[in-house]
Amino acid sequence: DIQMTQSPSSLSASVGDRVTITCRASQSISYYINWYQLKPGKAPKILIYGASNLQSGVPSRFRGSASGTDFTLTISNLQPEDFATYFCQQTYRFPYTFGQGTRLEI
Amino acid sequence: QAQLVESGGGVVQPGKSLRLSCVASGFSFSKFGMHWVRQAPGRGLEWVAFISYDGSNNKVADSVKGRFTISRDNSNNTLYLQMNSLRIEETGVYSCARDIGGDFSYFEPWGQGTLVTVSS
């Protein structure tokens, strides 16, 4: 199985900050990585698909990038509604696997 | 808009069975592959199973192979997960999700999930 190692597991930041969350794949997954946002009591929301494609309706302050087997989600100009949990997912090969998640706190 | 609503969760003893349902609305259900994903308390997400748009192809995680079966009824816009021989460690929230497909597979939307508690 492809392991997705996500870091950090938690992160403290302030409104207006820029933060970076990273996922490292245990093998090549091309650009088959997605990023989701999870808030308590709500269904996960897709932010970025295919490593760098912004889902329709998602603010442009969310950005995804890739370098080999390292993938990054960057959130610029943090807004109050951005404080949530984020996780990555590889869809290169079954079984699809997820990172352990990053809890972004104020 | 596209929506998924799960049901069928509850408390079940170890070794027993449960069938989960996921009703889709707001999109052409028969045109999309579907997944089940679970999250145990305090743990990360685990992909459980996939079924193709027409039910002709399916995959399940090794951890549930031989015990869980994914199926669908396109005439009723419903996805199922039959879970047999349940284990205590399979307690968690089970969610269904649509696979957008295309060049890059991703899940959108997800349901809010149904809680399965395996306990004696």
Side-chain angles (χ1 to χ4, degrees):
Chain A
D1 297 0
I2 298 173
Q3 307 301 318
M4 301 299 291
T5 303
Q6 185 171 344
S7 61
S9 57
S10 64
L11 184 56
S12 294
S14 301
V15 173
D17 284 355
R18 185 176 82 168
V19 299
T20 298
I21 299 168
T22 298
C23 268
R24 172 169 288 175
S26 60
Q27 63 186 80
S28 174
I29 58 170
S30 185
Y31 295 100
Y32 292 87
I33 185 169
N34 309 312
W35 292 94
Y36 299 87
Q37 179 191 67
L38 179 61
K39 293 184 176 181
K42 289 195 168 184
K45 173 186 173 184
I46 180 71
L47 300 172
I48 302 286
Y49 63 92
S52 61
N53 298 283
L54 189 68
Q55 172 71 355
S56 175
V58 174
S60 58
R61 62 180 180 271
F62 291 89
R63 178 176 173 269
S65 62
S67 177
T69 57
D70 291 339
F71 302 88
T72 299
L73 173 68
T74 300
I75 313 171
S76 303
N77 187 24
L78 274 172
Q79 297 300 298
E81 61 268 28
D82 299 337
F83 292 94
T85 297
Y86 295 85
F87 55 92
C88 62
Q89 174 203 37
Q90 67 81 18
T91 55
Y92 180 74
R93 177 181 298 143
F94 282 108
Y96 292 171
T97 45
F98 296 89
Q100 283 301 103
T102 296
R103 185 175 177 183
L104 178 55
E105 303 172 316
I106 300 175
Chain B
Q1 72 278 21
Q3 189 173 9
L4 299 168
V5 178
E6 303 93 339
S7 62
V11 180
V12 62
Q13 292 180 329
K16 299 297 187 181
S17 300
L18 208 58
R19 187 175 85 156
L20 305 183
S21 299
C22 166
V23 176
S25 60
F27 68 98
S28 296
F29 179 70
S30 63
K31 293 184 178 180
F32 292 89
M34 298 292 295
H35 298 266
W36 285 100
V37 177
R38 66 185 179 187
Q39 184 170 24
R43 303 195 64 177
L45 293 163
E46 180 186 14
W47 171 83
V48 175
F50 163 79
I51 188 167
S52 61
Y53 70 100
D54 60 356
S56 64
N57 181 29
N58 66 78
K59 298 184 185 296
V60 295
D62 285 347
S63 59
V64 306
K65 196 166 290 183
R67 299 184 299 117
F68 288 17
T69 303
I70 187 171
S71 62
R72 64 190 299 159
D73 179 354
N74 284 346
S75 63
N76 286 303
N77 294 339
T78 304
L79 175 72
Y80 300 102
L81 185 67
Q82 177 67 42
M83 305 186 294
N84 299 332
S85 303
L86 280 160
R87 302 168 178 169
I88 291 175
E89 60 267 27
E90 293 179 316
T91 292
V93 175
Y94 286 70
S95 301
C96 59
R98 178 180 66 169
D99 190 323
I100 289 296
D103 291 339
F104 295 105
S105 174
Y106 62 93
F107 296 3
E108 194 283 327
W110 299 54
Q112 293 221 357
T114 186
L115 178 61
V116 173
T117 303
V118 185
S119 172
S120 55

